[in-house]
Amino acid sequence: MNPNRTPILAGNWKMYKTAAEAVAVVTELKAEVAGITKAECVICPPFTALPALSAVVAGSNVQLGAQNVHWEKEGAFTGEISVGMLKEFGVRYPVVGHSERRQFFGETDAGVNKRAKAALAAGMRPIVCVGEMLAEREAGKTQDVVRTQVTGSLAGLSKDDMVTTVIAYEPVWAIGTGKTASPEQAQEVHAFIRSLLVSLFDAATAAKVRIQYGGSVKPDNAKLLLSQPDVDGALVGGASLKAKDFAAIVKAAV
Ligand code: PEP
């Protein structure tokens, strides 16, 4: 972490939890993280939990995210969700381009780019996910893959947009597998992403962008990962489903 960037910890709940279950977890979480001002704590629940959670998080330091957002304001796009629908419930951080969306639902860098731009235009802060598959890492292609994803997903953003955007580096082989990238592996790619941002934008912009690590982050490995200079937080799946575990990860960042 770097003292000039506020760490951001986001819980991606994927397709877990009914609205009632979500309320119970976030009620516990907001008590656990009350008073934490040096890190941002975000929950990205299923869309169906957003109305209830918007009331639960009001006045607390838990913020709401979402797991996707579409680029059109409205229309015949079955199964999609618009910026207006998310903003109605106070969503600030929509995740775009999660590897599960890329792998199982055919999302591309061009589409991720449109989603990110729509979120930014609506005053939200997208969390743009990138990361290589195991075979790509083993073939020595990590940097090529990440370069293509970063360049494509962030194409056409202004410097101000870039500073507002969060990048999540999530090696696909580490997501939900219990295999975490070592702190050194994470730092190496995070530093690479920041160097890409220097060439795509400029050094001052790159220095402000927060880059989260994601992939089997747990209470017992969070501190070491977060201690890396270019790791500015975490995108957490499994361990964010339990209030105490996610709170421990948030506390590891302060
Ligand atoms: C994720 O869903 O983005 C993720 C990193 O999951 P997990 O923490 O379970 O690996």
Short mmCIF file of all heavy atoms in Angstrom, two decimals, residues 44-108:
data_model
loop_
_atom_site.label_atom_id
_atom_site.label_comp_id
_atom_site.label_asym_id
_atom_site.label_seq_id
_atom_site.Cartn_x
_atom_site.Cartn_y
_atom_site.Cartn_z
N CYS A 44 -20.51 -5.91 -2.95
CA CYS A 44 -21.16 -6.06 -4.26
C CYS A 44 -22.08 -7.29 -4.18
O CYS A 44 -21.67 -8.41 -4.47
CB CYS A 44 -20.12 -6.26 -5.35
SG CYS A 44 -18.83 -4.99 -5.38
N PRO A 45 -23.32 -7.08 -3.76
CA PRO A 45 -24.23 -8.21 -3.55
C PRO A 45 -24.95 -8.55 -4.85
O PRO A 45 -24.83 -7.81 -5.84
CB PRO A 45 -25.22 -7.63 -2.54
CG PRO A 45 -25.33 -6.19 -2.96
CD PRO A 45 -23.96 -5.79 -3.47
N PRO A 46 -25.75 -9.60 -4.86
CA PRO A 46 -26.66 -9.78 -6.00
C PRO A 46 -27.58 -8.56 -6.10
O PRO A 46 -27.90 -7.93 -5.08
CB PRO A 46 -27.46 -11.04 -5.61
CG PRO A 46 -26.61 -11.74 -4.61
CD PRO A 46 -25.86 -10.67 -3.87
N PHE A 47 -28.03 -8.26 -7.30
CA PHE A 47 -28.87 -7.06 -7.51
C PHE A 47 -30.11 -7.07 -6.60
O PHE A 47 -30.55 -6.03 -6.14
CB PHE A 47 -29.35 -6.99 -8.96
CG PHE A 47 -28.23 -6.92 -9.97
CD1 PHE A 47 -28.25 -7.72 -11.11
CD2 PHE A 47 -27.17 -6.05 -9.79
CE1 PHE A 47 -27.23 -7.66 -12.05
CE2 PHE A 47 -26.13 -5.98 -10.73
CZ PHE A 47 -26.18 -6.78 -11.86
N THR A 48 -30.65 -8.25 -6.36
CA THR A 48 -31.91 -8.35 -5.61
C THR A 48 -31.76 -7.89 -4.15
O THR A 48 -32.76 -7.60 -3.49
CB THR A 48 -32.42 -9.79 -5.60
OG1 THR A 48 -31.34 -10.63 -5.19
CG2 THR A 48 -32.93 -10.20 -6.97
N ALA A 49 -30.52 -7.84 -3.66
CA ALA A 49 -30.32 -7.43 -2.26
C ALA A 49 -30.10 -5.93 -2.14
O ALA A 49 -30.07 -5.39 -1.03
CB ALA A 49 -29.13 -8.19 -1.66
N LEU A 50 -29.94 -5.24 -3.27
CA LEU A 50 -29.59 -3.80 -3.19
C LEU A 50 -30.65 -2.95 -2.49
O LEU A 50 -30.30 -2.10 -1.66
CB LEU A 50 -29.29 -3.25 -4.59
CG LEU A 50 -27.96 -3.70 -5.20
CD1 LEU A 50 -27.87 -3.29 -6.67
CD2 LEU A 50 -26.78 -3.12 -4.42
N PRO A 51 -31.95 -3.13 -2.79
CA PRO A 51 -32.93 -2.26 -2.11
C PRO A 51 -32.84 -2.38 -0.59
O PRO A 51 -32.78 -1.36 0.12
CB PRO A 51 -34.28 -2.77 -2.64
CG PRO A 51 -33.96 -3.43 -3.95
CD PRO A 51 -32.59 -4.00 -3.79
N ALA A 52 -32.80 -3.59 -0.08
CA ALA A 52 -32.74 -3.76 1.39
C ALA A 52 -31.42 -3.25 1.94
O ALA A 52 -31.38 -2.57 2.98
CB ALA A 52 -32.93 -5.23 1.75
N LEU A 53 -30.33 -3.52 1.23
CA LEU A 53 -29.03 -3.11 1.75
C LEU A 53 -28.85 -1.60 1.72
O LEU A 53 -28.12 -1.04 2.54
CB LEU A 53 -27.89 -3.79 0.98
CG LEU A 53 -27.71 -5.28 1.24
CD1 LEU A 53 -26.47 -5.80 0.53
CD2 LEU A 53 -27.62 -5.58 2.74
N SER A 54 -29.51 -0.92 0.79
CA SER A 54 -29.32 0.53 0.74
C SER A 54 -29.81 1.16 2.05
O SER A 54 -29.23 2.14 2.52
CB SER A 54 -30.00 1.14 -0.49
OG SER A 54 -31.39 1.01 -0.38
N ALA A 55 -30.82 0.57 2.65
CA ALA A 55 -31.29 1.08 3.95
C ALA A 55 -30.32 0.68 5.06
O ALA A 55 -30.02 1.47 5.96
CB ALA A 55 -32.69 0.54 4.24
N VAL A 56 -29.80 -0.54 4.99
CA VAL A 56 -28.91 -1.03 6.05
C VAL A 56 -27.61 -0.21 6.11
O VAL A 56 -27.10 0.10 7.18
CB VAL A 56 -28.58 -2.53 5.85
CG1 VAL A 56 -27.57 -3.02 6.88
CG2 VAL A 56 -29.85 -3.36 5.92
N VAL A 57 -27.05 0.14 4.94
CA VAL A 57 -25.74 0.82 4.95
C VAL A 57 -25.85 2.33 5.15
O VAL A 57 -24.83 2.99 5.36
CB VAL A 57 -24.92 0.54 3.66
CG1 VAL A 57 -24.69 -0.94 3.47
CG2 VAL A 57 -25.56 1.17 2.43
N ALA A 58 -27.06 2.87 5.10
CA ALA A 58 -27.22 4.34 5.23
C ALA A 58 -26.52 4.83 6.50
O ALA A 58 -26.73 4.28 7.58
CB ALA A 58 -28.70 4.69 5.26
N GLY A 59 -25.68 5.84 6.34
CA GLY A 59 -25.00 6.42 7.50
C GLY A 59 -23.83 5.60 8.02
O GLY A 59 -23.21 5.98 9.02
N SER A 60 -23.52 4.49 7.38
CA SER A 60 -22.38 3.67 7.84
C SER A 60 -21.21 3.85 6.88
O SER A 60 -21.31 4.56 5.88
CB SER A 60 -22.78 2.19 7.87
OG SER A 60 -22.72 1.63 6.57
N ASN A 61 -20.09 3.20 7.19
CA ASN A 61 -18.98 3.30 6.24
C ASN A 61 -18.86 2.07 5.35
O ASN A 61 -17.81 1.79 4.79
CB ASN A 61 -17.65 3.63 6.94
CG ASN A 61 -17.34 2.65 8.03
OD1 ASN A 61 -18.12 1.73 8.27
ND2 ASN A 61 -16.21 2.80 8.69
N VAL A 62 -19.97 1.35 5.20
CA VAL A 62 -20.03 0.28 4.19
C VAL A 62 -20.69 0.90 2.96
O VAL A 62 -21.75 1.52 3.06
CB VAL A 62 -20.85 -0.92 4.68
CG1 VAL A 62 -20.98 -1.98 3.59
CG2 VAL A 62 -20.22 -1.53 5.94
N GLN A 63 -20.05 0.75 1.81
CA GLN A 63 -20.59 1.29 0.56
C GLN A 63 -21.09 0.14 -0.31
O GLN A 63 -20.70 -1.01 -0.12
CB GLN A 63 -19.52 2.06 -0.19
CG GLN A 63 -18.92 3.20 0.62
CD GLN A 63 -17.85 3.93 -0.18
OE1 GLN A 63 -18.15 4.65 -1.11
NE2 GLN A 63 -16.60 3.73 0.20
N LEU A 64 -21.94 0.50 -1.27
CA LEU A 64 -22.48 -0.55 -2.14
C LEU A 64 -21.81 -0.54 -3.51
O LEU A 64 -21.55 0.51 -4.11
CB LEU A 64 -23.98 -0.37 -2.32
CG LEU A 64 -24.83 -0.71 -1.09
CD1 LEU A 64 -26.32 -0.50 -1.40
CD2 LEU A 64 -24.60 -2.15 -0.62
N GLY A 65 -21.56 -1.75 -3.99
CA GLY A 65 -21.12 -1.96 -5.35
C GLY A 65 -22.14 -2.85 -6.03
O GLY A 65 -23.20 -3.15 -5.47
N ALA A 66 -21.83 -3.25 -7.25
CA ALA A 66 -22.69 -4.19 -7.97
C ALA A 66 -21.78 -5.07 -8.82
O ALA A 66 -20.59 -4.77 -8.97
CB ALA A 66 -23.69 -3.43 -8.84
N GLN A 67 -22.34 -6.14 -9.35
CA GLN A 67 -21.48 -7.11 -10.04
C GLN A 67 -21.40 -6.89 -11.55
O GLN A 67 -20.69 -7.62 -12.25
CB GLN A 67 -21.96 -8.53 -9.72
CG GLN A 67 -21.83 -8.84 -8.24
CD GLN A 67 -22.40 -10.20 -7.88
OE1 GLN A 67 -22.45 -11.10 -8.70
NE2 GLN A 67 -22.84 -10.33 -6.65
N ASN A 68 -22.14 -5.92 -12.05
CA ASN A 68 -22.07 -5.58 -13.46
C ASN A 68 -22.91 -4.34 -13.71
O ASN A 68 -23.67 -3.91 -12.82
CB ASN A 68 -22.58 -6.72 -14.34
CG ASN A 68 -21.89 -6.75 -15.70
OD1 ASN A 68 -21.19 -5.81 -16.09
ND2 ASN A 68 -22.09 -7.83 -16.45
N VAL A 69 -22.82 -3.78 -14.88
CA VAL A 69 -23.70 -2.70 -15.31
C VAL A 69 -23.66 -2.63 -16.83
O VAL A 69 -22.62 -2.87 -17.44
CB VAL A 69 -23.30 -1.35 -14.66
CG1 VAL A 69 -21.94 -0.86 -15.15
CG2 VAL A 69 -24.36 -0.28 -14.92
N HIS A 70 -24.80 -2.31 -17.44
CA HIS A 70 -24.86 -2.21 -18.91
C HIS A 70 -24.59 -0.78 -19.36
O HIS A 70 -24.70 0.14 -18.56
CB HIS A 70 -26.23 -2.69 -19.42
CG HIS A 70 -26.23 -2.99 -20.88
ND1 HIS A 70 -26.70 -2.11 -21.83
CD2 HIS A 70 -25.78 -4.08 -21.55
CE1 HIS A 70 -26.54 -2.65 -23.03
NE2 HIS A 70 -25.99 -3.84 -22.90
N TRP A 71 -24.22 -0.65 -20.63
CA TRP A 71 -23.87 0.69 -21.12
C TRP A 71 -25.07 1.49 -21.62
O TRP A 71 -24.98 2.71 -21.70
CB TRP A 71 -22.81 0.59 -22.24
CG TRP A 71 -23.17 -0.29 -23.39
CD1 TRP A 71 -23.89 0.06 -24.49
CD2 TRP A 71 -22.81 -1.67 -23.55
NE1 TRP A 71 -24.00 -1.02 -25.33
CE2 TRP A 71 -23.35 -2.09 -24.79
CE3 TRP A 71 -22.09 -2.58 -22.78
CZ2 TRP A 71 -23.19 -3.39 -25.28
CZ3 TRP A 71 -21.93 -3.86 -23.26
CH2 TRP A 71 -22.47 -4.26 -24.48
N GLU A 72 -26.17 0.81 -21.94
CA GLU A 72 -27.34 1.57 -22.41
C GLU A 72 -28.18 2.03 -21.21
O GLU A 72 -28.24 1.34 -20.20
CB GLU A 72 -28.21 0.70 -23.32
CG GLU A 72 -27.55 0.34 -24.65
CD GLU A 72 -27.43 1.53 -25.60
OE1 GLU A 72 -28.05 2.58 -25.35
OE2 GLU A 72 -26.68 1.40 -26.59
N LYS A 73 -28.86 3.13 -21.37
CA LYS A 73 -29.71 3.65 -20.28
C LYS A 73 -30.89 2.74 -20.01
O LYS A 73 -31.33 2.55 -18.88
CB LYS A 73 -30.23 5.04 -20.64
CG LYS A 73 -29.20 6.13 -20.47
CD LYS A 73 -29.88 7.50 -20.36
CE LYS A 73 -28.88 8.58 -20.05
NZ LYS A 73 -28.02 8.88 -21.21
N GLU A 74 -31.46 2.18 -21.10
CA GLU A 74 -32.58 1.23 -20.98
C GLU A 74 -32.75 0.57 -22.35
O GLU A 74 -32.09 0.97 -23.31
CB GLU A 74 -33.88 1.95 -20.60
CG GLU A 74 -34.31 3.01 -21.58
CD GLU A 74 -35.57 3.76 -21.13
OE1 GLU A 74 -36.01 3.58 -19.99
OE2 GLU A 74 -36.10 4.53 -21.94
N GLY A 75 -33.60 -0.44 -22.42
CA GLY A 75 -33.85 -1.04 -23.72
C GLY A 75 -34.06 -2.54 -23.64
O GLY A 75 -34.18 -3.10 -22.55
N ALA A 76 -34.08 -3.17 -24.80
CA ALA A 76 -34.35 -4.61 -24.90
C ALA A 76 -33.05 -5.37 -24.69
O ALA A 76 -32.43 -5.85 -25.64
CB ALA A 76 -34.97 -4.90 -26.26
N PHE A 77 -32.61 -5.46 -23.44
CA PHE A 77 -31.36 -6.14 -23.09
C PHE A 77 -31.63 -7.08 -21.92
O PHE A 77 -31.26 -6.80 -20.77
CB PHE A 77 -30.27 -5.12 -22.74
CG PHE A 77 -29.99 -4.15 -23.86
CD1 PHE A 77 -30.49 -2.87 -23.83
CD2 PHE A 77 -29.27 -4.57 -24.98
CE1 PHE A 77 -30.27 -1.99 -24.88
CE2 PHE A 77 -29.04 -3.70 -26.04
CZ PHE A 77 -29.55 -2.41 -26.00
N THR A 78 -32.32 -8.16 -22.22
CA THR A 78 -32.78 -9.10 -21.19
C THR A 78 -31.63 -9.53 -20.28
O THR A 78 -30.57 -9.95 -20.76
CB THR A 78 -33.41 -10.32 -21.88
OG1 THR A 78 -34.48 -9.86 -22.70
CG2 THR A 78 -33.94 -11.32 -20.85
N GLY A 79 -31.86 -9.43 -18.99
CA GLY A 79 -30.87 -9.90 -18.02
C GLY A 79 -29.84 -8.86 -17.63
O GLY A 79 -29.00 -9.12 -16.77
N GLU A 80 -29.87 -7.69 -18.25
CA GLU A 80 -28.88 -6.65 -17.94
C GLU A 80 -29.46 -5.64 -16.94
O GLU A 80 -30.65 -5.64 -16.66
CB GLU A 80 -28.45 -5.94 -19.23
CG GLU A 80 -27.66 -6.84 -20.18
CD GLU A 80 -26.23 -7.09 -19.70
OE1 GLU A 80 -25.69 -6.31 -18.90
OE2 GLU A 80 -25.65 -8.11 -20.15
N ILE A 81 -28.60 -4.76 -16.46
CA ILE A 81 -29.04 -3.75 -15.48
C ILE A 81 -28.40 -2.41 -15.83
O ILE A 81 -27.25 -2.38 -16.29
CB ILE A 81 -28.70 -4.21 -14.04
CG1 ILE A 81 -29.45 -3.39 -13.01
CG2 ILE A 81 -27.20 -4.19 -13.77
CD1 ILE A 81 -29.79 -4.15 -11.75
N SER A 82 -29.14 -1.33 -15.64
CA SER A 82 -28.65 -0.02 -16.09
C SER A 82 -28.03 0.77 -14.93
O SER A 82 -28.26 0.47 -13.75
CB SER A 82 -29.81 0.78 -16.67
OG SER A 82 -30.66 1.22 -15.62
N VAL A 83 -27.31 1.83 -15.31
CA VAL A 83 -26.72 2.70 -14.28
C VAL A 83 -27.81 3.32 -13.40
O VAL A 83 -27.64 3.41 -12.18
CB VAL A 83 -25.84 3.81 -14.91
CG1 VAL A 83 -24.57 3.25 -15.49
CG2 VAL A 83 -26.59 4.63 -15.93
N GLY A 84 -28.92 3.71 -14.02
CA GLY A 84 -29.99 4.35 -13.25
C GLY A 84 -30.58 3.40 -12.21
O GLY A 84 -30.91 3.82 -11.09
N MET A 85 -30.71 2.13 -12.60
CA MET A 85 -31.27 1.14 -11.66
C MET A 85 -30.34 0.93 -10.47
O MET A 85 -30.79 0.72 -9.34
CB MET A 85 -31.50 -0.19 -12.40
CG MET A 85 -32.56 -0.11 -13.47
SD MET A 85 -32.50 -1.56 -14.54
CE MET A 85 -33.67 -1.05 -15.80
N LEU A 86 -29.03 1.00 -10.73
CA LEU A 86 -28.07 0.83 -9.63
C LEU A 86 -27.97 2.09 -8.78
O LEU A 86 -27.89 2.03 -7.55
CB LEU A 86 -26.69 0.47 -10.20
CG LEU A 86 -26.61 -0.86 -10.95
CD1 LEU A 86 -25.18 -1.10 -11.45
CD2 LEU A 86 -27.06 -2.03 -10.08
N LYS A 87 -28.00 3.22 -9.45
CA LYS A 87 -27.87 4.48 -8.69
C LYS A 87 -29.07 4.70 -7.76
O LYS A 87 -28.93 5.31 -6.70
CB LYS A 87 -27.75 5.66 -9.67
CG LYS A 87 -26.34 5.77 -10.23
CD LYS A 87 -26.15 7.03 -11.04
CE LYS A 87 -25.98 8.24 -10.14
NZ LYS A 87 -25.70 9.46 -10.90
N GLU A 88 -30.21 4.21 -8.17
CA GLU A 88 -31.42 4.35 -7.34
C GLU A 88 -31.17 3.81 -5.93
O GLU A 88 -31.76 4.28 -4.95
CB GLU A 88 -32.59 3.61 -8.00
CG GLU A 88 -33.91 3.81 -7.31
CD GLU A 88 -35.07 3.14 -8.06
OE1 GLU A 88 -34.83 2.32 -8.96
OE2 GLU A 88 -36.22 3.44 -7.70
N PHE A 89 -30.29 2.80 -5.84
CA PHE A 89 -30.03 2.19 -4.53
C PHE A 89 -28.64 2.54 -4.00
O PHE A 89 -28.11 1.85 -3.13
CB PHE A 89 -30.26 0.68 -4.60
CG PHE A 89 -31.71 0.37 -4.92
CD1 PHE A 89 -32.07 -0.16 -6.15
CD2 PHE A 89 -32.71 0.68 -4.01
CE1 PHE A 89 -33.40 -0.40 -6.45
CE2 PHE A 89 -34.05 0.44 -4.30
CZ PHE A 89 -34.40 -0.09 -5.52
N GLY A 90 -28.06 3.59 -4.56
CA GLY A 90 -26.81 4.11 -4.00
C GLY A 90 -25.55 3.36 -4.37
O GLY A 90 -24.54 3.48 -3.68
N VAL A 91 -25.60 2.61 -5.46
CA VAL A 91 -24.39 1.88 -5.86
C VAL A 91 -23.33 2.86 -6.35
O VAL A 91 -23.59 3.72 -7.18
CB VAL A 91 -24.71 0.86 -6.98
CG1 VAL A 91 -23.42 0.31 -7.60
CG2 VAL A 91 -25.54 -0.28 -6.42
N ARG A 92 -22.14 2.71 -5.82
CA ARG A 92 -21.04 3.59 -6.20
C ARG A 92 -19.98 2.85 -7.02
O ARG A 92 -19.30 3.44 -7.85
CB ARG A 92 -20.41 4.13 -4.92
CG ARG A 92 -19.49 5.30 -5.16
CD ARG A 92 -19.13 5.99 -3.86
NE ARG A 92 -18.41 7.21 -4.10
CZ ARG A 92 -17.35 7.58 -3.38
NH1 ARG A 92 -16.94 6.86 -2.38
NH2 ARG A 92 -16.72 8.70 -3.67
N TYR A 93 -19.81 1.56 -6.74
CA TYR A 93 -18.69 0.81 -7.35
C TYR A 93 -19.17 -0.43 -8.13
O TYR A 93 -19.14 -1.54 -7.58
CB TYR A 93 -17.73 0.35 -6.26
CG TYR A 93 -16.85 1.44 -5.68
CD1 TYR A 93 -17.12 1.99 -4.42
CD2 TYR A 93 -15.75 1.93 -6.38
CE1 TYR A 93 -16.31 2.98 -3.88
CE2 TYR A 93 -14.94 2.91 -5.85
CZ TYR A 93 -15.21 3.44 -4.60
OH TYR A 93 -14.41 4.41 -4.07
N PRO A 94 -19.58 -0.28 -9.37
CA PRO A 94 -19.93 -1.48 -10.13
C PRO A 94 -18.68 -2.20 -10.64
O PRO A 94 -17.76 -1.57 -11.17
CB PRO A 94 -20.76 -0.94 -11.30
CG PRO A 94 -20.29 0.46 -11.48
CD PRO A 94 -19.81 0.95 -10.14
N VAL A 95 -18.64 -3.51 -10.45
CA VAL A 95 -17.55 -4.33 -11.00
C VAL A 95 -17.85 -4.56 -12.47
O VAL A 95 -18.99 -4.86 -12.84
CB VAL A 95 -17.49 -5.68 -10.25
CG1 VAL A 95 -16.53 -6.65 -10.93
CG2 VAL A 95 -17.10 -5.48 -8.78
N VAL A 96 -16.87 -4.42 -13.33
CA VAL A 96 -17.05 -4.76 -14.74
C VAL A 96 -15.89 -5.64 -15.20
O VAL A 96 -14.76 -5.50 -14.74
CB VAL A 96 -17.18 -3.50 -15.65
CG1 VAL A 96 -18.45 -2.72 -15.33
CG2 VAL A 96 -15.97 -2.60 -15.57
N GLY A 97 -16.23 -6.60 -16.08
CA GLY A 97 -15.19 -7.46 -16.64
C GLY A 97 -14.65 -8.50 -15.69
O GLY A 97 -13.50 -8.96 -15.84
N HIS A 98 -15.44 -8.90 -14.69
CA HIS A 98 -14.97 -9.98 -13.82
C HIS A 98 -14.66 -11.20 -14.68
O HIS A 98 -15.33 -11.46 -15.68
CB HIS A 98 -16.04 -10.32 -12.77
CG HIS A 98 -15.54 -11.24 -11.71
ND1 HIS A 98 -15.47 -12.60 -11.90
CD2 HIS A 98 -15.03 -11.00 -10.47
CE1 HIS A 98 -14.96 -13.15 -10.80
NE2 HIS A 98 -14.69 -12.20 -9.92
N SER A 99 -13.67 -11.97 -14.27
CA SER A 99 -13.25 -13.11 -15.12
C SER A 99 -14.38 -14.10 -15.34
O SER A 99 -14.43 -14.77 -16.38
CB SER A 99 -12.03 -13.80 -14.52
OG SER A 99 -12.39 -14.44 -13.32
N GLU A 100 -15.29 -14.20 -14.36
CA GLU A 100 -16.42 -15.12 -14.57
C GLU A 100 -17.34 -14.59 -15.66
O GLU A 100 -17.93 -15.36 -16.41
CB GLU A 100 -17.17 -15.35 -13.24
CG GLU A 100 -16.34 -16.25 -12.32
CD GLU A 100 -16.55 -16.02 -10.83
OE1 GLU A 100 -17.57 -15.43 -10.44
OE2 GLU A 100 -15.66 -16.42 -10.06
N ARG A 101 -17.49 -13.29 -15.78
CA ARG A 101 -18.27 -12.69 -16.88
C ARG A 101 -17.53 -12.90 -18.20
O ARG A 101 -18.14 -13.19 -19.23
CB ARG A 101 -18.48 -11.18 -16.65
CG ARG A 101 -19.25 -10.77 -15.41
CD ARG A 101 -20.66 -11.27 -15.34
NE ARG A 101 -21.38 -11.15 -16.60
CZ ARG A 101 -22.59 -11.69 -16.81
NH1 ARG A 101 -23.20 -12.38 -15.85
NH2 ARG A 101 -23.18 -11.57 -17.97
N ARG A 102 -16.22 -12.75 -18.18
CA ARG A 102 -15.44 -12.93 -19.42
C ARG A 102 -15.48 -14.39 -19.85
O ARG A 102 -15.70 -14.70 -21.03
CB ARG A 102 -13.99 -12.48 -19.19
CG ARG A 102 -13.81 -10.97 -18.95
CD ARG A 102 -12.34 -10.68 -18.64
NE ARG A 102 -12.05 -9.28 -18.33
CZ ARG A 102 -11.66 -8.36 -19.21
NH1 ARG A 102 -11.50 -8.68 -20.46
NH2 ARG A 102 -11.40 -7.12 -18.81
N GLN A 103 -15.26 -15.32 -18.88
CA GLN A 103 -15.15 -16.75 -19.21
C GLN A 103 -16.49 -17.38 -19.57
O GLN A 103 -16.58 -18.16 -20.50
CB GLN A 103 -14.68 -17.49 -17.95
CG GLN A 103 -13.23 -17.81 -17.86
CD GLN A 103 -12.99 -18.65 -16.61
OE1 GLN A 103 -13.10 -18.18 -15.48
NE2 GLN A 103 -12.70 -19.91 -16.81
N PHE A 104 -17.52 -17.11 -18.77
CA PHE A 104 -18.78 -17.86 -18.91
C PHE A 104 -19.85 -17.10 -19.68
O PHE A 104 -20.85 -17.68 -20.07
CB PHE A 104 -19.35 -18.23 -17.52
CG PHE A 104 -18.36 -18.95 -16.64
CD1 PHE A 104 -18.21 -18.60 -15.31
CD2 PHE A 104 -17.57 -19.99 -17.15
CE1 PHE A 104 -17.29 -19.25 -14.49
CE2 PHE A 104 -16.65 -20.64 -16.34
CZ PHE A 104 -16.51 -20.29 -15.01
N PHE A 105 -19.67 -15.79 -19.84
CA PHE A 105 -20.72 -15.00 -20.50
C PHE A 105 -20.18 -14.19 -21.68
O PHE A 105 -20.83 -13.26 -22.15
CB PHE A 105 -21.43 -14.11 -19.47
CG PHE A 105 -22.06 -14.91 -18.36
CD1 PHE A 105 -21.41 -15.08 -17.15
CD2 PHE A 105 -23.28 -15.55 -18.54
CE1 PHE A 105 -21.95 -15.86 -16.13
CE2 PHE A 105 -23.84 -16.32 -17.53
CZ PHE A 105 -23.17 -16.48 -16.32
N GLY A 106 -18.98 -14.52 -22.09
CA GLY A 106 -18.44 -13.97 -23.33
C GLY A 106 -18.17 -12.48 -23.34
O GLY A 106 -18.15 -11.86 -24.40
N GLU A 107 -17.96 -11.89 -22.18
CA GLU A 107 -17.69 -10.44 -22.18
C GLU A 107 -16.28 -10.16 -22.72
O GLU A 107 -15.33 -10.89 -22.43
CB GLU A 107 -17.88 -9.86 -20.77
CG GLU A 107 -19.35 -9.88 -20.40
CD GLU A 107 -19.72 -8.95 -19.26
OE1 GLU A 107 -18.90 -8.10 -18.87
OE2 GLU A 107 -20.84 -9.08 -18.75
N THR A 108 -16.21 -9.10 -23.49
CA THR A 108 -14.95 -8.74 -24.16
C THR A 108 -14.42 -7.41 -23.62
O THR A 108 -15.15 -6.66 -22.97
CB THR A 108 -15.20 -8.54 -25.66
OG1 THR A 108 -16.15 -7.45 -25.79
CG2 THR A 108 -15.79 -9.80 -26.30
#
